[in-house]
Amino acid sequence: METRQAAWDRYEAYSRGLLERRAHGWEDIVLLARDAIASVPLERYDAVIVDEAQGLSCAMVSLTERRHNRRPRS
């Protein structure tokens, strides 16, 4: 239980630090990009090929799907 509390304390300190600096973490940047491009159609391409997809986070998959105006899978 102490390890879990220590991890949570570090996460909270990290989150506070981001807010104080008005900064974003990596996943936040991916989600901001996803939202920013949602309204921009990509008519030039019919598909996206992703190499090493096992390294993508859920946010990155969501970014790719949103880019093609598809509803992300649940």
Side-chain angles (χ1 to χ4, degrees):
M1 191 64 165
E2 290 178 24
T3 303
R4 185 180 290 177
Q5 185 61 49
W8 183 253
D9 291 344
R10 284 189 176 198
Y11 171 76
E12 286 186 322
Y14 170 75
S15 295
R16 275 193 308 276
L18 288 176
L19 284 173
E20 289 168 4
R21 292 173 185 82
R22 298 178 70 192
H24 299 286
W26 177 245
E27 288 299 308
D28 296 328
I29 292 170
V30 173
L31 294 173
L32 288 168
R34 180 201 64 190
D35 294 344
I37 65 171
S39 63
V40 181
L42 183 62
E43 298 169 1
R44 228 174 117 177
Y45 303 98
D46 293 328
V48 171
I49 297 172
V50 179
D51 188 23
E52 301 293 333
Q54 73 275 8
L56 295 178
S57 67
C58 291
M60 292 174 183
V61 171
S62 175
L63 167 65
T64 304
E65 289 183 333
R66 176 78 56 96
R67 184 64 184 109
H68 290 281
N69 297 319
R70 294 184 184 143
R71 198 170 128 213
R73 296 177 208 168
S74 331

